[in-house]
């Protein structure tokens, strides 16, 4: 109950919390689900094995729960601020609690005398042993290893936790709980045969995890197919029990909510697992290697968590809690009835909400058609704006909160009917229920063979079941209509509000769709993607025809996709991959584009022309993508006096030590969420995980070899300005998961820019893919202090503006190609962060000579580098000295002027202690963050 109430609070305030999506998902999975499994698994084990543990065992059970809770809290506390080692400690605590739990259950199995239902408890043991594997995979992901490993780890993490730990536990429990909920019998032989599927599911999970980690689509999909087959083997028995239970005549009707909720949740489980299988198979390349990335796998979070986990948990709790409360047949029946109030309405509304969110995320023509069908044609994916999502989310949240409200009412009802106050149930103490005779037991143990049903008491009312059937049918139909109506009302109101705010096209924008009658014919067009272009980029389709696009990525190096204004999308295609995109019936002109950051701005768009249909609606695509309608050129501000966030490591600005004549450097490309100013996080592309890559140093005439490894989700490359090489091979774009070797000889002195040369370069550079290579000139005199400052400017999409939804990291802002084209930077920073050297100044002493290497990395702005209170007596720019003390002219310099991609160094000596400021004397850039303090002490 504690985790459930905490979840309610987090949902209410999630928009002000960092990583809110991750937090809510893991409060459900780690907090609510795992705690419930540990509590009720112990309860069921004692009931099924008939091994009642004494009071002396209860402190150990409570200690396990405390260890689990501490581990979950530590994991959350480490993940939110980005402290991966605290996440590791939390994962270890969670793993220890589950292994302790598994060992305890194993001991109970060994102590049991001829247990008939030991297969369920063995499933608990196997499932509990899987969770530590998933916990460790999650801990590794906290270190942001980059693609393809981030995607592989995410996939393995979900498989072992959802399909393994939860899937095995739930399926094993249903073999014994399901007949109890239905107040019917299951033959022991049938249950034992069905339990064979549990072993198949366990082995299939191991195979699927191995396939995910090694990137083998063939192994992973074969294992998932085996998993679905094993689950189906168990499900057949459950369906037979269900059919038999529903057909039985009863004097007291069954409580409908547990049945409906468990059934719906199990259906989501099967559908989502099948969807994972299809997604995984479609991700395969020619060598059957998987190209799934973390963003792909995260599409399954909503159906797995909201569709499966929550519904099965609440359905089971709606049966178990009234039964555990006890109080006699009358009190139990009344409490069950309270928990099932509005059952059909709640289940229909909740599942429609989940389905609409899942279909909207898919973005295919087929999912769009199903979305429209579920809303009876009153709404389309293109009109599913932000306010519609908010209203539907609130509706789904209200259904979940109703469980807590009904639970309180059920407790009060049970207490009143048995005439005594009763505390909230403690599932880990089943002694009270265990004292009931087997024929009237209120434990969730199934009856077997000819023995009487041991489900909840049937109550004291008499009369044949058919007498209540007709009213129940009418109530069910009314509830279904009310559930459907509530969802339709929320989508209609949300759509109206979205249109009034201009975030989706109004009715006029889609009028053409209603005016065109489908012809029943299909137009199929092959489209190639390469060189930042679709070929052909104009598709003429007779109005009313269905459009099918045979899409292929013929670009040898880069990742592309195609998104249509209707919301249909191909998904990302690796070089050489192809797919078929169902564009639906074409009623009017529309636009398509590549959604990879910057590609649309580079002109990677196509137009679909409905010949003989409505024209002038191609701009709908822009409207659909508009989000909340915020100004896309609005500046993203930051508090330039605030300190960097607690997880920001201040960059060491000191020049690295000299290297030898041969140097091998590995640059790993990773895409991360990186803070570049207080409170401003960018969806960054990086060399080595930091905005502005590591400072490299090489000596004159030395050989520098760079091993470039692409762990990103798209193509990237490297251009070393210090080298004289043909760009065709060394600077080519490499797809995710590949690497290349780039070797140069550093024959010329200077501070040289290196950057990503993949188009559009301005986007990749603004996203952080820049760095400095320092080659000192010959006979450069040593100095007491030597620092490197790399200036870069950054252009961000404001929250809620068009393009903000394309962020791959929650809470991060993507790079804005629109601002880059308009030359409207938000921030100009030194070494990747605006205020790091304001709160952690560079150090020097009076009389020391300080050398400051400066590079203007761009992508577009230069720098007029100045130190307030200092005079430069040495200036070196672009390979040549402009000023030296030994010149004898007595000259000094106040600024080093550098255009984009230029560099040099200055030297100065401080005569007095104090705090000096190094700035870009183009003060608008300084006010955007281009400054660093130098603290000079005596």
């Amino acid at each position: 109950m504690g985790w459930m109430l905490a979840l309610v609070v987090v949902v209410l305030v999630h928009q002000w919390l960092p990583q809110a999506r991750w937090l809510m998902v893991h409060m459900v999975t780690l907090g609510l689900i795992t705690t419930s499994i540990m509590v009720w698994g112990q309860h069921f084990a004692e009931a099924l094995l008939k091994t009642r543990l004494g009071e002396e065992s209860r402190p150990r059970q409570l200690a396990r729960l405390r260890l689990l809770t501490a581990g979950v809290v530590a994991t959350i506390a480490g993940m939110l601020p980005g402290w991966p080692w605290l996440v590791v400690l939390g994962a270890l605590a969670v793993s220890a609690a589950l292994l302790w739990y598994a060992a305890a259950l194993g001991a109970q199995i060994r102590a049991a005398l001829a247990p008939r239902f030991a297969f369920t408890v063995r499933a608990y043991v196997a499932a509990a042993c899987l969770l530590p594997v998933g916990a460790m995979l999650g801990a590794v992901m906290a270190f942001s290893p980059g693609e393809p490993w981030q995607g592989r780890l995410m996939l393995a993490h979900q498989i072992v936790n959802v399909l393994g730990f939860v899937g095995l536990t739930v399926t094993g429990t249903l073999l014994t709980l399901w007949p109890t909920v239905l107040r019917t019998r299951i033959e022991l032989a049938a249950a034992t045969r069905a339990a064979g599927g549990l072993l198949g599911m366990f082995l299939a999970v191991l195979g699927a995890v191995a396939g995910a980690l090694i990137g083998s689509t063939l192994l992973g999909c074969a294992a998932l197919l085996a998993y679905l087959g094993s689950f189906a083997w168990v499900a057949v028995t459950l369906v037979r029990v269900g059919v038999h239970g529903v057909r039985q005549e009863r004097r007291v009707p069954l409580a409908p909510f547990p049945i409906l909720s468990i059934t719906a949740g199990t259906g989501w489980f099967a559908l989502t697992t099948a969807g994972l299988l299809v997604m995984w198979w479609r991700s395969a390349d020619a060598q059957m290697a998987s190209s799934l990335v973390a963003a792909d796998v995260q599409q399954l979070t909503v159906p797995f968590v909201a569709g499966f986990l929550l519904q099965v948990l609440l359905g089971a709790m709606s049966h178990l809690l009234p039964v555990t409360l006890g109080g006699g047949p009358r009190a139990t029946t009344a409490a069950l009835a309270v928990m099932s109030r509005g059952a059909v309405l709640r289940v229909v509304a909740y599942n429609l909400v989940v389905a609409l969110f899942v279909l909207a995320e898919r973005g295919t023509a087929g999912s769009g058609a199903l979305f429209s069908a579920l809303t009876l044609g009153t709404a389309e994916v293109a009109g599913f704006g932000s306010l519609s999502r908010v209203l539907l989310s609130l509706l789904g949240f209200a259904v979940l909160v109703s469980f807590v409200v009904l639970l309180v009412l059920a407790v009060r009802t049970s207490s009143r009917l048995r005439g005594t106050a009763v505390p909230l149930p403690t599932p880990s103490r089943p002694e009270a229920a265990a004292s009931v005779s087997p024929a009237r037991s209120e434990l969730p143990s199934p009856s077997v063979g000819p023995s009487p049903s041991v489900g909840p008491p049937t109550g004291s009312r008499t009369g044949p079941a058919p007498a209540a059937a007709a009213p129940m049918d009418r109530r069910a139909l009314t509830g279904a209509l009310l559930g459907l109506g509530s969802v339709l009302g929320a989508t209609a109101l949300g759509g109206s509000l979205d249109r009034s705010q201009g975030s989706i096209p109004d009715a006029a924008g889609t009028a053409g769709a209603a005016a065109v009658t489908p012809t029943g014919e299909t137009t199929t067009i092959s489209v190639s993607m390469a060189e930042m272009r679709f070929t052909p980029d104009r598709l003429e389709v007779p109005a009313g025809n269905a459009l099918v696009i045979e899409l292929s990525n013929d670009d040898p190096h880069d990742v592309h996709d195609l998104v249509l204004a209707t919301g249909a999308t191909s998904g990302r295609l690796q070089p050489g991959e192809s797919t078929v995109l169902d564009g639906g019936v074409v009623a009017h002109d529309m636009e398509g584009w590549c959604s990879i950051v910057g590609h649309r701005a580079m002109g990677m768009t196509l137009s679909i022309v409905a010949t003989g249909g409505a024209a002038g609606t191609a701009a709908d695509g822009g409207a659909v993508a508009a989000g909340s309608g915020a100004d896309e050129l609005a500046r993203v501000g930051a508090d330039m006096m605030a300190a960097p966030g607690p997880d920001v490591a201040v960059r060491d600005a000191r020049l690295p030590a000299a290297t030898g004549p041969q140097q091998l450097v590995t640059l790993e490309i990773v895409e991360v969420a990186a803070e570049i100013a207080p409170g401003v996080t960018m969806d960054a592309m990086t060399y080595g995980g930091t905005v502005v890559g590591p400072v490299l140093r090489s000596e004159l005439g030395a050989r520098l070899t760079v091993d470039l490894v692409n762990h990103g989700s798209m193509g990237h490359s490297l251009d070393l300005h210090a080298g004289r090489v043909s760009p065709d091979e060394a600077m080519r774009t490499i797809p995710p998961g590949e690497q290349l070797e780039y070797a140069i000889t550093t024959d010329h002195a200077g501070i040289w820019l290196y950057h990503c040369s993949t188009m559009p370069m301005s986007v990749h550079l603004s996203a952080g893919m820049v760095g400095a290579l320092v080659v000192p000139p010959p006979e450069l005199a040593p100095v007491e202090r030597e620092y490197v400052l790399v200036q870069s400017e950054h252009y961000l999409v404001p929250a809620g503006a068009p393009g903000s939804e394309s962020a791959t990291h929650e809470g991060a802002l993507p790079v804005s190609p629109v601002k880059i084209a308009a030359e409207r930077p938000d921030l100009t920073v030194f070494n990747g962060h605006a205020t790091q050297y304001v709160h952690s100044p560079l150090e020097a002493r009076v009389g020391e000579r300080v050398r400051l290497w400066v590079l203007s990395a761009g992508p577009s702005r230069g720098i007029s580098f100045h130190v307030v209170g200092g005079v430069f007596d040495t200036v070196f720019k672009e390979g040549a000295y402009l000023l030296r003390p030994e010149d004898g002219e007595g000259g000094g310099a106040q600024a080093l002027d550098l255009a984009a991609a230029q560099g040099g160094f200055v030297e100065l000596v401080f005569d007095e202690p104090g705090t000096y400021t190094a700035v870009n004397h183009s003060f608008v850039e300084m006010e955007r963050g281009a400054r660093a303090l130098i603290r000079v002490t005596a």
Side-chain angles (χ1 to χ4, degrees), residues 690-850:
T690 59
V691 174
V692 180
V695 175
L696 307 180
R697 176 170 178 171
S698 182
E699 307 309 309
L700 272 175
R703 190 69 173 170
L704 171 65
T705 302
V706 176
D707 186 15
L708 185 69
V709 184
N710 187 359
H711 293 310
S713 62
M714 65 186 75
H716 292 292
S717 58
L718 176 65
D719 178 359
L720 290 168
H721 280 201
R724 294 182 295 178
V725 296
S726 169
D728 295 349
E729 178 61 25
M731 301 180 197
R732 64 182 174 87
T733 297
I734 57 173
E738 292 193 10
Q739 64 186 75
L740 65 76
E741 189 175 276
Y742 188 159
I744 64 171
T745 301
T746 52
D747 291 325
H748 302 280
I751 176 169
W752 300 88
L753 175 66
Y754 69 82
H755 64 88
C756 181
S757 58
T758 299
M759 301 296 285
M761 278 185 274
S762 59
V763 169
H764 288 245
L765 270 65
S766 179
M769 298 193 77
V770 296
L773 167 60
V774 176
V775 183
E779 301 179 1
L780 183 64
V783 294
E784 287 82 4
R785 309 276 179 168
E786 198 162 9
Y787 296 112
V788 180
L789 295 175
V790 180
Q791 177 185 284
S792 58
E793 76 258 18
H794 302 281
Y795 309 77
L796 303 174
V797 178
S804 60
E805 72 284 348
S806 66
T808 57
H809 298 89
E810 185 173 355
L813 301 177
V815 173
S816 170
V818 175
K819 284 185 178 178
I820 291 173
E823 297 192 48
R824 299 270 293 270
D826 296 294
L827 296 161
T828 305
V829 304
F830 286 151
N831 291 355
H833 195 283
T835 67
Q836 59 181 330
Y837 301 128
V838 175
H839 292 269
S840 298
L842 308 180
E843 299 287 344
R845 290 182 180 274
V846 171
E848 289 183 337
R849 178 163 288 274
V850 179

Side-chain angles (χ1 to χ4, degrees), residues 14 41 48 55 214 232 280 322-323 447 538 581 600 641 690 729 825 870 879-880 897:
H14 74 277
L48 297 174
E55 283 296 322
I214 66 176
W280 201 347
V323 168
S447 62
R538 177 184 170 89
L581 175 59
R600 186 178 186 181
M641 301 305 296
T690 59
E729 178 61 25
D897 61 312

Side-chain angles (χ1 to χ4, degrees), residues 24-65:
M24 289 186 289
V25 166
H26 286 79
M27 287 186 72
V28 172
T29 53
L30 271 182
L32 190 57
I33 299 295
T34 304
T35 302
S36 297
I37 285 176
M38 187 177 284
V39 169
W40 289 100
Q42 179 64 49
H43 180 82
F44 291 157
E46 294 185 29
L48 297 174
L49 299 176
K50 302 187 184 302
T51 54
R52 305 298 176 201
L53 299 181
E55 283 296 322
E56 68 278 2
S57 71
R58 302 308 171 193
R60 291 194 297 273
Q61 295 177 31
L62 291 175
R64 284 200 299 268
L65 289 174

